């Protein structure tokens, strides 16, 4: 990948013109996603309370083909932060469409599918094609960036030390749910952990990677790994390997292809392992194919059923709005869903929470469009930076967006702070000297 293709100037045409995208790769990913859901339904029947029925296979496959018609949008668009977010959501909606043909939950499945496809389309249009760069009113100097990077490392170390005083347990992935319910971290510390994991440490990693400072890259990865015994979260455990993988992909492939491969290769690995080793591969398959994709897809299923017979929230679940609104729910939606379906605390993405739960299936596409405009603003703030840098520094957030509402991701997981850092960092810092 050359410097001329990796760095976008302030020329308006460069913000939307792009070469042909990875069409074949996208359609291959669609096939892998469908096969993955087949195995998920087979091995996790107790969670979904269903079994795979062959007589519904052809209807589900036909609907997937219709959703696949959206794929050319990824071919036409150039890379941006919204590109990778949009592709992960595209995969999630594919999973939901497939799941909706086998679910036992009672709601208008046809309306839910139409709403999901329209919501995805409304979300993708701004996040893929609004990428006009906003020239910063203030550009950070190289010395200022160095100070910020040191501050990030010191802050992360302080968060780890503070968190270790509340919890530090080395437990296996099979046992984390036996202990995670006992965690009682202060709210401020929870926010700092989320911001460090989702934004600050990946930002520092990307800066060090672009400048080939491998020692500091290793420090970032160690800090991320040390957050796992405190949080007992799979995101913190796999974040170091994920960042390294994205860094390698960004070196070997054009940014759009790297974005697709970042999700397709882990899912393909799960399919291969579950086909060869069956129960022996459940740890990997359960963490990637089931937890990363199928769970966010099933959230749309559960939320669609629940809010088809219960009051909508009209965004009152947002902490800042709850005191000002007459909210029908006092607890968090994740707790409400856990009580209703006995599936554990069940958060949802912006399609689920800001969409289905807030305004219902019919108006969910409008909510998705509004959320897409927010992500598109992040595109504009980062459009002056090298694609590879944006891809690496934003590598953790797509996983967060799949499971957490937009408002929470912006604040509690640091997406808004990352947008600001992108805006202030000048592209010239990453130019070869």
């Amino acid at each position: 990948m050359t410097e001329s293709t990796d760095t976008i100037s302030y020329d308006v045409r460069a913000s939307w013109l792009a070469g042909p995208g990875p069409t074949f790769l996208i359609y291959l990913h669609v096939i892998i996603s469908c096969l993955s859901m087949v195995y998920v339904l087979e091995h996790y029947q107790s969670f979904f309370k269903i079994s795979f029925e062959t007589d519904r296979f052809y209807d589900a496959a036909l609907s997937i083909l219709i959703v696949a018609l959206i794929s050319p949008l990824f071919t036409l668009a150039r890379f941006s932060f919204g590109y990778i977010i949009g592709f992960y959501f595209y995969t999630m909606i594919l999973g939901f469409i497939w799941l909706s043909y086998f679910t036992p939950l009672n709601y208008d499945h046809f309306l839910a599918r139409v709403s999901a496809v329209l919501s995805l389309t409304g979300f993708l249009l701004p996040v893929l094609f609004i990428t006009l760069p906003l020239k910063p009113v203030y550009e950070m100097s190289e010395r200022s960036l160095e100070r910020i990077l040191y501050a990030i490392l010191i802050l992360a170390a302080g968060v780890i030390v503070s968190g270790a005083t509340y919890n530090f347990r080395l437990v296996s992935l099979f046992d984390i749910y036996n202990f995670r319910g006992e965690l009682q971290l202060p709210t401020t510390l929870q926010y700092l952990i989320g911001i460090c994991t989702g934004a600050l440490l990946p930002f520092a990693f990307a800066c060090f990677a672009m400048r080939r400072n491998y020692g500091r890259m290793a420090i970032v990865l160690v800090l991320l790994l040390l957050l796992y015994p405190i949080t007992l979260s799979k995101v913190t455990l796999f974040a170091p390997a994920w960042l390294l993988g994205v860094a390698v992909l960004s070196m070997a492939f054009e940014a759009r292809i790297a974005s697709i491969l970042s999700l397709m290769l882990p899912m393909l690995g799960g399919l291969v392992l579950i086909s060869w080793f069956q129960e022996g591969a459940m740890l990997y398959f359960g963490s990637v194919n089931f937890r990363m994709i199928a769970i966010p897809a099933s959230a749309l299923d559960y939320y669609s059923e629940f809010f088809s017979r219960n009051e909508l929230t009209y965004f009152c679940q947002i902490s800042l709005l709850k005191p000002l609104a007459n909210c029908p729910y006092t607890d968090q939606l994740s707790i409400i869903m856990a009580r209703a379906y006995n599936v554990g605390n069940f958060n949802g993405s912006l399609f689920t929470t800001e969409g289905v739960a807030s305004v219902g299936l019919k108006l969910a596409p409008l909510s998705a469009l509004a959320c897409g405009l927010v992500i598109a603003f992040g595109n504009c703030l980062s459009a002056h930076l090298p694609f590879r840098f944006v891809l690496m520094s934003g590598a953790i957030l797509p996983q967060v967006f799949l499971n957490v509402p937009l408002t929470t991701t912006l604040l509690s997981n640091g997406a808004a702070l990352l947008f600001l850092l992108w805006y202030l960092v000048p592209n010239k810092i990453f130019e070869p000297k």
Side-chain angles (χ1 to χ4, degrees):
M1 189 161 51
T2 63
E3 184 68 22
S4 61
T5 59
D6 194 46
T7 303
I8 299 299
S9 69
Y10 290 107
D11 189 303
V12 174
R13 294 172 299 172
S15 66
W16 62 271
L17 290 177
T23 306
F24 172 77
L25 203 59
I26 295 172
Y27 288 119
L28 177 61
H29 177 76
V30 171
I31 297 173
I32 292 172
S33 299
C34 293
L35 291 175
S36 177
M37 287 303 297
V38 170
Y39 278 97
V40 164
L41 295 183
E42 177 182 347
H43 290 277
Y44 291 92
Q45 297 179 17
S46 59
F47 179 86
F48 296 106
K49 303 179 179 62
I50 56 179
S51 60
F52 180 69
E53 300 178 22
T54 56
D55 58 334
R56 299 182 183 179
F57 175 87
Y58 296 104
D59 291 335
L62 179 60
S63 292
I64 292 297
L65 289 176
I66 295 174
V67 180
L69 296 177
I70 301 175
S71 299
L73 295 178
F74 293 99
T75 301
L76 298 173
R78 75 172 181 90
F79 175 79
S80 64
F81 175 65
Y83 191 97
I84 186 171
I85 298 294
F87 185 76
Y88 277 55
F89 276 136
Y90 174 72
T91 306
M92 183 194 76
I93 296 299
L94 285 173
F96 167 70
I97 297 297
W98 187 272
L99 175 64
S100 68
Y101 281 92
F102 307 96
T103 178
L105 299 181
N106 185 24
Y107 59 92
D108 190 336
H109 298 120
F110 178 77
L111 175 61
R113 294 179 199 121
V114 172
S115 175
V117 174
L118 292 178
S119 297
L120 176 63
T121 305
F123 179 80
L124 289 179
L125 289 176
V127 303
L128 293 180
F129 299 105
I130 299 180
T131 56
L132 293 174
L134 297 176
K135 191 171 184 178
V137 295
Y138 167 79
E139 288 191 349
M140 187 186 304
S141 67
E142 188 167 355
R143 177 174 294 183
S144 297
L145 177 61
E146 283 287 339
R147 292 172 179 171
I148 288 177
L149 294 176
Y150 277 118
I152 290 174
L153 297 181
I154 294 172
L155 174 64
V159 167
I160 291 169
V161 172
S162 178
T165 62
Y166 293 93
N167 179 74
F168 197 90
R169 295 177 178 175
L170 295 173
V171 299
S172 70
L173 286 176
F174 294 107
D175 299 324
I176 59 175
Y177 296 108
N178 297 330
F179 297 98
R180 205 157 72 179
E182 303 174 5
L183 297 181
Q184 293 184 347
L185 300 175
T187 303
T188 301
L189 185 59
Q190 293 181 36
Y191 283 141
L192 289 174
I193 290 174
I195 292 171
C196 286
T197 303
L200 293 183
L201 286 175
F203 174 81
F205 177 87
C207 288
F208 296 144
M210 294 294 292
R211 305 167 85 179
R212 299 184 180 182
N213 195 319
Y214 303 117
R216 296 184 191 180
M217 288 171 61
I219 292 175
V220 171
L221 298 180
V222 170
L223 291 174
L224 279 170
L225 193 59
L226 287 175
L227 287 171
Y228 169 71
I230 298 171
T231 62
L232 300 182
S233 166
K234 292 180 181 178
V235 173
T236 54
L237 177 61
F238 294 126
W242 194 270
L243 282 177
L244 276 177
V246 171
V248 171
L249 289 174
S250 68
M251 292 176 61
F253 300 99
E254 183 256 333
R256 290 177 296 178
I257 295 178
S259 300
I260 296 169
L261 291 177
S262 70
L263 185 56
M264 189 183 81
L265 291 181
M267 292 181 65
L268 179 60
L271 281 178
V272 172
L273 290 175
I274 202 70
S275 300
W276 287 354
F277 302 106
Q278 296 297 318
E279 296 301 322
M282 290 305 294
L283 178 59
Y284 180 92
F285 185 84
S287 299
V288 177
N289 301 64
F290 173 64
R291 181 62 189 89
M292 186 184 297
I293 299 299
I295 289 293
S298 67
L300 269 174
D301 184 44
Y302 282 105
Y303 276 66
S304 296
E305 198 276 339
F306 182 86
F307 287 100
S308 68
R309 54 183 175 83
N310 291 282
E311 290 187 68
L312 301 175
T313 67
Y314 298 106
F315 303 101
C316 73
Q317 76 275 3
I318 300 175
S319 300
L320 295 177
L321 298 180
K322 183 170 286 190
L324 306 176
N326 184 19
C327 193
Y329 308 101
T330 55
D331 293 322
Q332 295 180 357
L333 292 183
S334 60
I335 297 176
I336 293 171
M337 301 304 291
R339 292 172 181 168
Y341 298 103
N342 193 29
V343 290
N345 287 4
F346 211 161
N347 286 310
S349 66
L350 63 91
F351 287 84
T352 303
T353 308
E354 280 92 356
V356 174
S358 295
V359 296
L361 290 172
K362 293 182 180 179
L363 295 179
L366 294 178
S367 176
L369 174 63
C371 293
L373 292 172
V374 175
I375 303 300
F377 183 63
N379 291 347
C380 298
L381 296 178
S382 61
H384 64 287
L385 295 171
F387 291 166
R388 183 170 177 244
F389 175 76
V390 175
L391 178 59
M392 287 189 293
S393 57
I396 302 299
L397 285 180
Q399 302 176 49
V400 177
F401 270 105
L402 286 176
N403 297 279
V404 180
L406 174 66
T407 49
T408 304
T409 305
L410 288 174
L411 300 177
S412 303
N413 295 99
L417 180 57
L418 183 61
F419 289 175
L420 178 61
L421 290 172
W422 281 342
Y423 179 64
L424 296 178
V425 174
N427 178 64
K428 63 183 180 182
I429 287 180
F430 302 114
E431 293 178 355
K433 297 180 181 180

